[in-house]
Short mmCIF file of all heavy atoms in Angstrom, two decimals:
data_model
loop_
_atom_site.label_atom_id
_atom_site.label_comp_id
_atom_site.label_asym_id
_atom_site.label_seq_id
_atom_site.Cartn_x
_atom_site.Cartn_y
_atom_site.Cartn_z
N LEU A 602 -3.99 5.46 0.19
CA LEU A 602 -2.84 6.07 -0.63
C LEU A 602 -1.82 6.75 0.28
O LEU A 602 -0.71 6.85 0.02
CB LEU A 602 -3.44 7.21 -1.46
CG LEU A 602 -4.40 6.52 -2.59
CD1 LEU A 602 -4.98 7.76 -3.41
CD2 LEU A 602 -3.69 5.63 -3.48
N MET A 605 0.93 3.54 1.64
CA MET A 605 1.22 2.51 0.70
C MET A 605 2.31 1.57 1.03
O MET A 605 3.33 1.95 1.39
CB MET A 605 1.57 3.26 -0.71
CG MET A 605 1.68 2.29 -1.93
SD MET A 605 2.01 3.21 -3.48
CE MET A 605 0.38 3.86 -3.77
N PHE A 608 2.82 -4.26 -1.48
CA PHE A 608 1.83 -4.85 -2.46
C PHE A 608 1.00 -3.83 -3.02
O PHE A 608 0.54 -3.96 -4.30
CB PHE A 608 1.02 -5.81 -1.68
CG PHE A 608 -0.10 -6.58 -2.46
CD1 PHE A 608 0.24 -7.51 -3.42
CD2 PHE A 608 -1.36 -6.12 -2.54
CE1 PHE A 608 -0.71 -8.04 -4.23
CE2 PHE A 608 -2.39 -6.67 -3.40
CZ PHE A 608 -2.01 -7.65 -4.17
N ASP A 609 0.59 -2.70 -2.22
CA ASP A 609 -0.13 -1.61 -2.91
C ASP A 609 0.65 -1.10 -4.16
O ASP A 609 -0.07 -0.64 -5.13
CB ASP A 609 -0.30 -0.58 -1.88
CG ASP A 609 -1.09 -0.97 -0.67
OD1 ASP A 609 -1.97 -1.90 -0.98
OD2 ASP A 609 -0.91 -0.59 0.39
N PHE A 610 1.97 -0.92 -3.95
CA PHE A 610 2.75 -0.43 -5.11
C PHE A 610 2.70 -1.32 -6.39
O PHE A 610 2.52 -0.86 -7.55
CB PHE A 610 4.29 -0.20 -4.69
CG PHE A 610 5.05 0.31 -5.71
CD1 PHE A 610 4.92 1.75 -6.19
CD2 PHE A 610 6.11 -0.45 -6.32
CE1 PHE A 610 5.80 2.16 -7.14
CE2 PHE A 610 6.93 0.09 -7.26
CZ PHE A 610 6.73 1.40 -7.67
N VAL A 611 2.82 -2.64 -6.06
CA VAL A 611 2.68 -3.55 -7.22
C VAL A 611 1.42 -3.51 -7.80
O VAL A 611 1.24 -3.53 -9.06
CB VAL A 611 2.96 -4.99 -6.68
CG1 VAL A 611 2.69 -6.10 -7.70
CG2 VAL A 611 4.43 -5.18 -6.20
N LEU A 612 0.29 -3.38 -7.05
CA LEU A 612 -1.07 -3.30 -7.52
C LEU A 612 -1.20 -1.98 -8.34
O LEU A 612 -1.81 -2.06 -9.49
CB LEU A 612 -2.16 -3.37 -6.31
CG LEU A 612 -3.53 -3.38 -6.69
CD1 LEU A 612 -3.90 -4.66 -7.45
CD2 LEU A 612 -4.45 -3.34 -5.42
N LEU A 613 -0.66 -0.95 -7.95
CA LEU A 613 -0.64 0.32 -8.66
C LEU A 613 0.03 0.17 -9.99
O LEU A 613 -0.51 0.61 -11.06
CB LEU A 613 0.01 1.43 -7.89
CG LEU A 613 -0.01 2.73 -8.47
CD1 LEU A 613 -1.37 3.29 -8.50
CD2 LEU A 613 0.97 3.70 -7.62
N LEU A 614 1.16 -0.60 -10.08
CA LEU A 614 1.75 -0.82 -11.34
C LEU A 614 0.91 -1.65 -12.22
O LEU A 614 0.84 -1.35 -13.51
CB LEU A 614 3.21 -1.52 -11.14
CG LEU A 614 4.26 -0.74 -10.48
CD1 LEU A 614 5.40 -1.58 -10.21
CD2 LEU A 614 4.60 0.43 -11.24
N ILE A 615 0.22 -2.77 -11.80
CA ILE A 615 -0.62 -3.40 -12.58
C ILE A 615 -1.80 -2.61 -13.00
O ILE A 615 -2.21 -2.72 -14.23
CB ILE A 615 -1.20 -4.77 -11.87
CG1 ILE A 615 -0.11 -5.60 -11.47
CG2 ILE A 615 -2.34 -5.38 -12.53
CD1 ILE A 615 -0.39 -6.69 -10.47
N MET A 616 -2.43 -1.72 -12.20
CA MET A 616 -3.42 -0.87 -12.68
C MET A 616 -2.98 0.05 -13.73
O MET A 616 -3.76 0.32 -14.70
CB MET A 616 -3.99 -0.07 -11.48
CG MET A 616 -4.79 -1.00 -10.46
SD MET A 616 -5.22 -0.29 -8.88
CE MET A 616 -5.53 1.38 -9.31
N SER A 617 -1.77 0.58 -13.67
CA SER A 617 -1.24 1.43 -14.68
C SER A 617 -1.14 0.87 -16.05
O SER A 617 -1.35 1.45 -16.98
CB SER A 617 0.06 2.14 -14.10
OG SER A 617 1.03 1.20 -14.23
N GLU A 618 -0.71 -0.44 -16.00
CA GLU A 618 -0.70 -1.18 -17.26
C GLU A 618 -1.98 -1.35 -17.89
O GLU A 618 -2.14 -1.15 -19.04
CB GLU A 618 0.04 -2.44 -16.98
CG GLU A 618 0.33 -3.32 -18.25
CD GLU A 618 1.32 -2.70 -19.08
OE1 GLU A 618 2.11 -1.95 -18.67
OE2 GLU A 618 1.27 -3.10 -20.26
#
Side-chain angles (χ1 to χ4, degrees):
L602 297 175
M605 188 174 285
F608 181 75
D609 298 329
F610 181 69
V611 171
L612 188 60
L613 184 65
L614 291 176
I615 294 169
M616 288 172 37
S617 70
E618 183 69 23

